[in-house]
Amino acid sequence: MTADHIFTNAAVWQPATAAPADTVAVTGGIITAIGTGISRESVGPGTEIHDLGGASLLPGFIDAHAHPVAGGLAALRCDLSELAHDRHVYLAAIADYARSHPDEPVISGSGWYGDAFPGGLPTKQDLDGVVDDRPVVLSSHDGHGMWANSEALRQAAIDARTPDPPGGRIDRDEHGDPTGVLFERAFDPVNALIPADGPGRLREALLTAQQRLHSVGVTGWQDAGVGILAFGLTDTLDTYLAADADGELTARVCGALWWSPEDGPGQIDSILQRRATARGPRFHIDTAKVMQDGICENCTAAMLKPYRNAPTDADPRGMSFIDPQELDEVCRLLARNGFHIHMHAVGDRAVRECLDALAAANATRPDLDLHHQIAHLDIVDPVDVPRFAELGVTANIQALWARRDIEIVERKLPLLGPDRERWHFPFGSLAAAGAQLVMGSDWPVTDPNPLWALHTAIHRTGSTADPHAIGPDARTVPLLAEQALTLRQALDAYTSGAARVTHCAGRTGTIETGKDADLVVLDGDISEAADIGELEVQVTMVGGTMVFER
């Protein structure tokens, strides 16, 4: 049988035990041959031969933790994510957007970084100076903070008398007045001002996001929150189902249904019904997402010991969004119903609470091979590092964060102190203790380019290609060099490991005969690159179809 595509003269990335090869043949969307050189029998009149000149041929990247529809919506709104980290640049862009969108009742957008502002946070006065006649509501790049102008605060009825809500905090000045920055659930009232996106807009956002992800070599992803109605996000289940039914979903997507902390165990029937509807050619749901805390930078990550020098109005040990006893019950309930559980835990207390809850889940259904995972893992107490392997819990890491950016060095590390700083993103320790690792971007929190993340995972510094690696040491001084991963560990986490937790490992994640041809062509050899982030994706293929060509 002749091949449709032959990739040759390639640095083929294969499982560690495979024999060396430089040629891969694809027929009918399947990898049909791997070897050395091109066999005469495989070439027919319609065969496309791609001579890679020694560049890498990789399995498609699978982003194990992303919010692509939010990323697509960000690109369609007032998007600050690609701009220089500069207060004046941000304000000029917001003013330009407002002038060019005079009919939008609310200026909404995202992507600002705190390091652009004195003291690490913007103010409502900044926004009032460029837009004062309608609300402005802008999410931080990490999605855990909201920047609002005075008109947005007025319409949302947030003033000095407004108490902090459960699971949230209003940043205040020395007089107790809101500064214009709202954290976690405190920004729900201003988010409610933004008109809901209709089905057409959500479909446009999904397809915009899909093309962006394909352009950086992503062939599949796990959407870490289908059904989120908090944090300014919109329920996207119908969006995925419609795009899949119409053949527009070219990526392979595993959805994680959002568990609402407020709704408790009574929501299980609804979640079961939603899971039953979510099965298509490219989209499926078999996972539930449980969020246990916030982030360190705003002191909402749950910590075992108090933060150092925390704001006086912040909880000194952060927030557990679900009481640990209830969390155990939630995880037992989800496991009893056959759900894989995907948990958000940033602080060391949240990590421990999630591990305890997943131990309870394992005991509930020891007969099932459930792939539970905990994402982010900014701080893990050394006592808990070996528990990942012991419990079979996967560490879902966002490697791009593990470097000395100004925002990390000036806002985050001082809150942790030197003792906890030693356990900041302990990827190497987790791997050495036998934990299974997967990698994701958390896009749009940070950029979705896997090559930038791989560079940081291996070197614990930012790539020279990454414009957000900002700070005198961000690209040169490793953040805990001993916590670095090898190229094999990092790349496998973004491919075969991620395929396992998105439940498509039988079809993709590695370059092996019989698997779907989900492939990525780079412009160089990844194993020889001094800065992996400087490499570029040339071709992305899903199931034998070219979905991106540079």
Side-chain angles (χ1 to χ4, degrees), residues 148-163:
N149 68 349
S150 294
E151 181 62 17
L153 295 175
R154 186 190 69 78
Q155 292 193 24
I158 296 174
D159 57 27
R161 298 180 300 276
T162 306

Side-chain angles (χ1 to χ4, degrees), residues 211-418:
Q211 191 54 31
R212 172 71 191 284
L213 290 165
H214 285 334
S215 76
V216 291
V218 175
T219 57
W221 64 78
Q222 182 164 210
D223 189 313
V226 175
I228 295 179
L229 297 178
F231 307 107
L233 300 178
T234 303
D235 189 351
T236 56
L237 177 57
D238 289 342
T239 304
Y240 275 115
L241 293 175
D244 197 15
D246 291 345
E248 293 183 330
L249 191 64
T250 51
R252 306 183 195 281
V253 182
C254 171
L257 284 172
W258 176 253
W259 179 271
S260 170
E262 296 83 11
D263 294 342
Q267 65 192 290
I268 189 64
D269 288 341
S270 171
I271 286 180
L272 288 170
Q273 291 169 6
R274 290 162 65 78
R275 179 177 67 177
T277 68
R279 187 70 55 177
R282 293 292 176 95
F283 176 75
H284 73 277
I285 282 180
D286 49 23
T287 302
K289 166 70 178 296
V290 180
M291 187 166 179
Q292 183 57 1
D293 70 343
I295 60 173
C296 296
E297 289 85 339
N298 62 21
C299 297
T300 56
M303 307 300 291
L304 292 168
K305 296 179 181 179
Y307 289 100
R308 292 164 57 100
N309 305 314
T312 56
D313 58 344
D315 189 315
R317 294 175 64 240
M319 299 178 179
S320 293
F321 294 160
I322 303 176
D323 177 81
Q325 187 172 354
E326 181 184 347
L327 188 66
D328 290 357
E329 180 185 354
V330 167
C331 288
R332 284 195 296 264
L333 178 62
L334 290 169
R336 190 178 303 125
N337 285 280
F339 278 100
H340 308 270
I341 305 172
H342 183 138
M343 308 189 81
H344 166 122
V346 166
D348 51 9
R349 188 177 85 238
V351 172
R352 181 168 297 174
E353 290 166 351
C354 288
L355 287 169
D356 290 346
L358 292 176
N362 286 347
T364 301
R365 289 303 300 267
D367 57 312
L368 295 179
D369 182 24
L370 297 176
H371 298 152
H372 304 316
Q373 53 194 303
I374 303 177
H376 308 323
L377 305 171
D378 292 38
I379 304 294
V380 183
D381 189 273
V383 171
D384 291 316
V385 167
R387 296 183 67 199
F388 283 81
E390 292 165 4
L391 295 172
V393 174
T394 296
N396 189 318
I397 63 175
Q398 285 60 61
L400 198 60
W401 306 348
R403 61 196 193 196
R404 292 189 173 277
D405 291 349
I406 285 179
E407 195 161 15
I408 296 290
V409 172
E410 295 186 358
R411 286 187 62 201
K412 186 178 186 181
L413 297 184
L415 292 167
L416 300 178

Side-chain angles (χ1 to χ4, degrees), residues 103 113 148 157 204 220 229 231 233 286 293 363 372 421 439 456 467 510 523:
D103 297 328
Y113 283 74
E204 181 185 8
L229 297 178
F231 307 107
L233 300 178
D286 49 23
D293 70 343
H372 304 316
E421 182 179 340
M439 288 176 66
T456 298
T510 56
D523 61 353

Side-chain angles (χ1 to χ4, degrees), residues 11 19 24 29 77 102 233 267 311 426 507 526 543:
V24 172
R77 294 173 174 170
L233 300 178
Q267 65 192 290
R507 300 183 58 184
I526 195 170

Side-chain angles (χ1 to χ4, degrees), residues 31-281:
I31 297 170
T32 49
I34 303 171
T36 303
I38 301 172
S39 67
R40 185 175 303 172
E41 304 79 40
S42 63
V43 180
T47 303
E48 291 188 46
I49 298 177
H50 311 270
D51 187 331
L52 302 193
S56 284
L57 180 68
L58 308 175
F61 295 117
I62 301 171
D63 192 320
H65 185 109
H67 306 281
V69 180
L73 284 172
L76 301 175
R77 294 173 174 170
C78 183
D79 185 11
L80 308 178
S81 66
E82 300 298 320
L83 302 180
H85 295 203
D86 182 277
R87 171 179 175 272
H88 299 291
V89 171
Y90 286 164
L91 293 176
I94 296 162
D96 287 346
Y97 184 91
R99 280 193 295 269
S100 60
H101 295 79
D103 297 328
E104 288 192 6
V106 177
I107 301 300
S108 62
S110 60
W112 56 270
Y113 283 74
D115 58 29
F117 303 94
L121 292 175
T123 67
K124 61 188 177 185
Q125 288 84 1
D126 287 326
L127 288 177
D128 293 345
V130 293
V131 182
D132 61 4
D133 61 339
R134 49 187 159 154
V136 181
V137 181
L138 302 167
S139 173
S140 60
H141 76 96
D142 54 35
H144 292 265
M146 190 68 69
W147 180 20
N149 68 349
S150 294
E151 181 62 17
L153 295 175
R154 186 190 69 78
Q155 292 193 24
I158 296 174
D159 57 27
R161 298 180 300 276
T162 306
D164 289 348
R169 180 167 66 86
I170 301 168
D171 191 58
R172 304 173 193 271
D173 63 20
E174 66 273 17
H175 306 295
D177 293 321
T179 65
V181 175
L182 309 165
F183 297 118
E184 308 296 351
R185 301 313 298 265
F187 54 65
D188 287 354
V190 295
N191 264 334
L193 302 176
I194 303 171
D197 294 296
R201 178 80 160 182
L202 292 173
R203 177 83 72 97
E204 181 185 8
L206 172 59
L207 298 181
T208 298
Q210 178 173 253
Q211 191 54 31
R212 172 71 191 284
L213 290 165
H214 285 334
S215 76
V216 291
V218 175
T219 57
W221 64 78
Q222 182 164 210
D223 189 313
V226 175
I228 295 179
L229 297 178
F231 307 107
L233 300 178
T234 303
D235 189 351
T236 56
L237 177 57
D238 289 342
T239 304
Y240 275 115
L241 293 175
D244 197 15
D246 291 345
E248 293 183 330
L249 191 64
T250 51
R252 306 183 195 281
V253 182
C254 171
L257 284 172
W258 176 253
W259 179 271
S260 170
E262 296 83 11
D263 294 342
Q267 65 192 290
I268 189 64
D269 288 341
S270 171
I271 286 180
L272 288 170
Q273 291 169 6
R274 290 162 65 78
R275 179 177 67 177
T277 68
R279 187 70 55 177

